[in-house]
Amino acid sequence: MNDVSRAITYLNDPFNWTRPNGITDLALEHVGISAVAVLAAMVVALPVGVALGTARRGAGMVVVLSNVSRAVPTLALLTLFAVSPIGFGNRATTIALAVFAIPPILTNTFVGFRGVDAEVREAARGMGMSRAQVLGRVELPLALPLVATGIRTAAVQVVATAGLAALVGGGGLGRLINLGFGQQDYGVMIAGAILVAGLALLTELLLATLSWAVTPGPRRLPFLQVRTTPRAGSVPEPTASGVPL
């Protein structure tokens, strides 16, 4: 029996799902670590992105901050936390993942609010809206698609990276990968990798559907592209030189 077959056998055993510290418990812990990290990143990144985007300032700072944050590996942060008062465990992993999640949320929020047409803002103010009303009823709906994309990107990255928690004594599905690697049981390691990848794909699917549901305006089903056939006469006939009339 090869390693892939052992991984499938491991995943098909109900005992591995229901026992204490089994797959179900580890998956819930993995989701909890990821959710707290993404929420912490949103608390930091969303207000900063909204403030800078509406003021149309700080583009250079956002780019530098995003590049610096992306350049620092999560594993390096976990190593630094291990020799600091933060120590080992899920707390260190949550902080490192929150830092990792800030750049996409901050960048997309900044770009989304900065891209709102100034004439739209002025028209809303001319209708007697307050600054808070313009922000909540005009700018936010227009910027929401980009903001949601940033949150979705950050969440998928965090879920896929949260397995590193096992390297610093934390929980989550990464413990299966770490256990399989330590015992040279590559079937268990592959099973853990399959679970992490599946959870990341499920996160992408759920957040894409949620983004589609809350985004105002015309909607199309996510992951589907609607192809339209031009009606007869809608395409201008080319002239002899090939340039349409």
Side-chain angles (χ1 to χ4, degrees):
M1 183 181 293
N2 58 28
D3 295 330
V4 176
S5 299
R6 284 199 293 271
I8 295 175
T9 301
Y10 181 88
L11 294 174
N12 284 331
D13 188 349
F15 178 72
N16 292 327
W17 290 83
T18 57
R19 63 181 173 84
N21 291 324
I23 294 175
T24 302
D25 291 343
L26 294 177
L28 293 175
E29 190 174 14
H30 195 107
V31 172
I33 294 171
S34 303
V36 172
V38 173
L39 289 175
M42 291 171 60
V43 169
V44 174
L46 287 178
V48 176
V50 171
L52 294 178
T54 53
R56 296 176 178 266
R57 296 178 180 176
M61 185 190 72
V62 171
V63 172
V64 171
L65 181 60
S66 297
N67 290 339
V68 170
S69 301
R70 288 171 177 168
V72 178
T74 305
L75 185 58
L77 287 178
L78 291 175
T79 304
L80 293 176
F81 292 160
V83 297
S84 70
I86 298 175
F88 295 90
N90 290 339
R91 181 175 64 174
T93 306
T94 302
I95 296 174
L97 291 175
V99 173
F100 182 58
I102 286 175
I105 299 177
L106 175 61
T107 302
N108 279 45
T109 303
F110 171 76
V111 173
F113 278 87
R114 188 186 64 172
V116 176
D117 195 341
E119 295 182 357
V120 175
R121 291 193 182 103
E122 293 300 326
R125 290 171 185 166
M127 295 173 61
M129 289 187 181
S130 65
R131 183 68 190 90
Q133 288 176 324
V134 173
L135 180 64
R137 298 173 61 181
V138 177
E139 295 179 336
L140 179 58
L142 294 175
L144 187 58
L146 274 176
V147 175
T149 299
I151 295 174
R152 185 174 80 243
T153 301
V156 173
Q157 290 178 349
V158 166
V159 170
T161 313
L164 293 175
L167 298 177
V168 291
L173 294 172
R175 291 179 60 183
L176 294 177
I177 301 174
N178 197 33
L179 177 65
F181 184 79
Q183 297 181 346
Q184 294 187 351
D185 188 347
Y186 298 116
V188 175
M189 186 175 69
I190 293 174
I194 291 174
L195 290 170
V196 173
L199 187 58
L201 291 174
L202 180 61
T203 302
E204 170 72 21
L205 177 62
L206 291 177
L207 292 182
T209 304
L210 179 62
S211 175
W212 169 80
V214 301
T215 300
R219 297 175 180 173
R220 294 183 300 176
L221 290 176
F223 311 111
L224 296 179
Q225 292 184 353
V226 179
R227 296 182 179 181
T228 57
T229 304
R231 295 177 297 176
S234 61
V235 179
E237 296 181 0
T239 61
S241 61
V243 180
L245 294 173

